[in-house]
Amino acid sequence: MHGSRTLNPTIARRAKKVALNRVERERITDSQLKLQAVSSSLNRVDPTKVPDLKSVKDCLEDADRILGNALRSPDSDKPE
């Protein structure tokens, strides 16, 4: 069964307009690091043994990019 991509760029653009506080920035940064660790770990998995592994990796990359964009949003609080 093919997984559906749930990260919609339109939704990300709308969410970008809301300022992030320090705690939210920390949570997003932590989540980004976890996504990157999972992605790196999956690079050592044989793609022939996991159906739709490329889709999973693409989704992780999209999530990392969207979270990074939220952190770079000019409306977000700057780190202290």
Side-chain angles (χ1 to χ4, degrees):
M1 179 170 100
H2 264 275
S4 64
R5 307 256 319 233
T6 58
L7 295 175
N8 182 327
T10 304
I11 293 170
R13 278 192 296 275
R14 272 188 247 138
K16 194 166 126 173
K17 295 178 182 173
V18 178
L20 300 171
N21 63 39
R22 183 186 56 78
V23 172
E24 290 168 327
R25 292 181 66 79
E26 289 173 359
R27 287 180 179 152
I28 290 173
T29 299
D30 184 53
S31 296
Q32 261 192 305
L33 293 172
K34 290 175 184 175
L35 288 167
Q36 292 164 3
V38 169
S39 183
S40 178
S41 180
L42 289 176
N43 286 334
R44 296 183 297 270
V45 172
D46 182 352
T48 63
K49 296 179 180 178
V50 180
D52 299 320
L53 183 60
K54 179 164 177 9
S55 294
V56 171
K57 288 161 69 172
D58 289 344
C59 183
L60 290 168
E61 289 174 16
D62 287 346
D64 183 38
R65 179 182 45 79
I66 290 168
L67 292 174
N69 289 342
L71 290 174
R72 286 186 291 280
S73 172
D75 295 335
S76 296
D77 293 343
K78 299 295 178 209
E80 297 171 5

